[in-house]
Amino acid sequence: MLTKRIIPCLDVKAGRVVKGVRFLDHVDAGDPVELARFYNNEGADELVFYDITASAEERPIMMDVVSRTAEQVFIPLTVGGGLKTVDDMNQMLNAGADKVSINTAAVENPELISRGAFAFGNQCIVLGMDAIRIPDSAPSRWEVKIRTGKGGGEATLLDAVEWAIKAVELGAGEIVVNSMDSDGTKKGYDIELNRTISEAVSVPVIASGGAGTLNHLCEGLVLGKADAILAASIFHFRKFSIAQVKEYLANQGIPVRI
C-alpha cells in the first residue's frame, strides 16, 4: 500500500507566509524560506508554496522567494499562483519547483493543462481547486471559484466534481481540493467533497482546508479517501509537529513514511 503524504502549505503574501479563515483576515505566520527549511528537516513528505494574491493582482509569481525557498528543501516542492503560460511553468521548474499548480488560469484556459502535461509530464501538473458548497443542493454539489486570494473569489458556475474529471482527462496528474467553507476553521476537512472527487478521478487527491486536530487528518485520509493531507495552521503555529502527525496516523494503521 502506498504511504500517505503529509504536506505543509505555505500561503505567501507580500513575501511572508500568512494564514486566514475562509481566505480572509490573514495573520503573519513567518518567513517562507525559514519555514521551508524547518519542515524539510522535520520530515514533511512534500511542500506546497502558493503566492495567494498573484492571480487576483494579475502579476507574476515572486520568483526570488520561490528560488530561495527551493534552495532549502530536498523534498518535492509544488509552486502555484499567477501561472498563466507554459513558459511561466518552465520558469518555476527552473527555479527549483518539482510541480506547478494552476487554478484560475486552468479554468479560464483549460488547454493550459494539456500543454503543460505535454511539455513536462502529467506528474508535474497539479490542479488547484477552490470549491464552495452550493447551499441546499441535493445531492451535494460544489462550485469552483477563482481569484480567491483577496477573499470570496469569483464565481465560475463550474461543478467541482465535473471540473476535476475534465482536468484529469486534459492531463492533470494530481488535484489539491481546498474547501472554501472549511479553510482555516480548524473544524475538519469537507469529507464529502474529498471523497466524492477521490472516487471520481484516477489521480491522487490532496485534501486541504480545515485541519485542526489529529483526528481530522485521519478522517481526511480514511473517510475522505485522500492520498495526502495538506495543512497550514496546525504546523505554522506549532500545534502539532510532523512527527506527532505521522506517529498518530501510524498508530491508526495508516501507512506513512517515518
Side-chain angles (χ1 to χ4, degrees):
M1 183 181 295
L2 293 176
T3 58
K4 302 294 187 179
R5 292 169 287 152
I6 313 303
I7 308 175
C9 179
L10 306 179
D11 286 337
V12 178
K13 181 179 182 181
R16 298 286 293 179
V17 175
V18 297
K19 191 67 195 93
V21 178
R22 298 191 176 108
F23 294 69
L24 296 169
D25 303 321
H26 293 118
V27 297
D28 187 90
D31 177 77
V33 179
E34 292 178 0
L35 282 172
R37 183 190 304 119
F38 175 77
Y39 292 133
N40 180 84
N41 294 337
E42 251 212 333
D45 296 303
E46 297 187 17
L47 197 63
V48 168
F49 177 113
Y50 285 136
D51 186 338
I52 61 172
T53 59
S55 290
E57 295 173 355
E58 298 186 350
R59 62 168 174 77
I61 198 168
M62 290 177 286
M63 180 77 73
D64 63 318
V65 182
V66 171
S67 180
R68 288 189 292 115
T69 301
E71 290 174 355
Q72 300 301 318
V73 300
F74 301 95
I75 54 178
L77 172 66
T78 298
V79 173
L83 306 180
K84 296 181 178 180
T85 67
V86 171
D87 185 60
D88 290 341
M89 297 178 185
N90 189 50
Q91 289 185 49
M92 287 304 104
L93 295 171
N94 286 335
D98 299 279
K99 309 175 194 176
V100 290
S101 178
I102 49 177
N103 183 339
T104 297
V107 170
E108 296 183 332
N109 179 19
E111 288 185 2
L112 180 61
I113 299 173
S114 51
R115 291 204 298 269
F118 179 78
F120 310 113
N122 301 65
Q123 78 285 350
C124 285
I125 307 303
V126 179
L127 177 73
M129 178 192 296
D130 295 324
I132 192 165
R133 187 178 289 267
I134 298 173
D136 303 319
S137 56
S140 297
R141 294 182 62 238
W142 299 264
E143 180 187 1
V144 175
K145 287 205 168 186
I146 58 175
R147 294 189 179 87
T148 53
K150 286 189 174 181
E154 299 176 11
T156 65
L157 303 182
L158 269 180
D159 178 88
V161 180
E162 293 176 1
W163 174 228
I165 294 170
K166 180 177 179 180
V168 172
E169 291 174 349
L170 289 169
E174 194 166 70
I175 303 175
V176 175
V177 179
N178 189 37
S179 166
M180 295 185 67
D181 302 288
S182 301
D183 181 80
T185 65
K186 303 178 187 177
K187 295 181 179 179
Y189 297 105
D190 186 329
I191 297 299
E192 187 181 15
L193 169 63
N194 284 288
R195 182 178 64 247
T196 303
I197 291 181
S198 294
E199 291 176 345
V201 300
S202 57
V203 302
V205 170
I206 302 172
S208 172
T213 69
L214 293 173
N215 190 52
H216 289 159
L217 304 176
C218 183
E219 289 176 343
L221 294 169
V222 177
L223 302 180
K225 298 186 177 182
D227 298 274
I229 43 177
L230 184 148
S233 298
I234 62 171
F235 294 139
H236 298 339
F237 303 117
R238 306 294 190 265
K239 184 174 183 179
F240 301 111
S241 68
I242 302 292
Q244 284 176 304
V245 168
K246 289 191 173 184
E247 181 181 10
Y248 176 83
L249 294 176
N251 288 336
Q252 304 304 308
I254 297 173
V256 292
R257 181 179 65 86
I258 302 296

